[in-house]
Amino acid sequence: MDTQELLKQIKNLINVPKEWLSLKEAATYAGVSYNTFIKFREMGLRVAEVEGVKRVSRKEIDTFLENHSY
């Protein structure tokens, strides 16, 4: 077994959730519909975009929800 395969198996065993989510994954993480998540973006939720690929961090979602809770 090569090093890459071993690392892949270890990563699968640890099952660490990824930090950067697609918009659909992010909506699920936030517990809202995709359309509501798009409204969050309009309200100031920061989204990273590189060559058309959009990702949002879990930390950003958590911070946004905390700042908009009352």
Side-chain angles (χ1 to χ4, degrees), residues 1-69:
M1 178 180 320
D2 68 350
T3 305
Q4 291 297 330
E5 183 62 29
L6 182 59
L7 289 173
K8 191 177 194 180
Q9 287 183 2
I10 291 170
K11 193 172 187 180
N12 287 338
L13 288 174
I14 296 172
N15 197 18
V16 175
K18 59 185 178 178
E19 173 60 26
W20 292 90
L21 307 171
S22 69
L23 298 184
K24 184 176 177 181
E25 291 169 330
T28 300
Y29 175 75
V32 298
S33 72
Y34 181 81
N35 288 336
T36 298
F37 193 78
I38 297 305
K39 290 178 186 174
F40 287 177
R41 288 187 66 199
E42 294 168 0
M43 293 171 61
L45 177 68
R46 296 178 344 157
V47 174
E49 182 173 356
V50 178
E51 295 185 7
V53 177
K54 297 175 182 74
R55 294 288 183 263
V56 60
S57 75
R58 290 175 185 266
K59 291 177 190 174
E60 180 66 26
I61 295 167
D62 293 341
T63 299
F64 177 85
L65 292 174
E66 287 174 15
N67 290 339
H68 289 83
S69 297

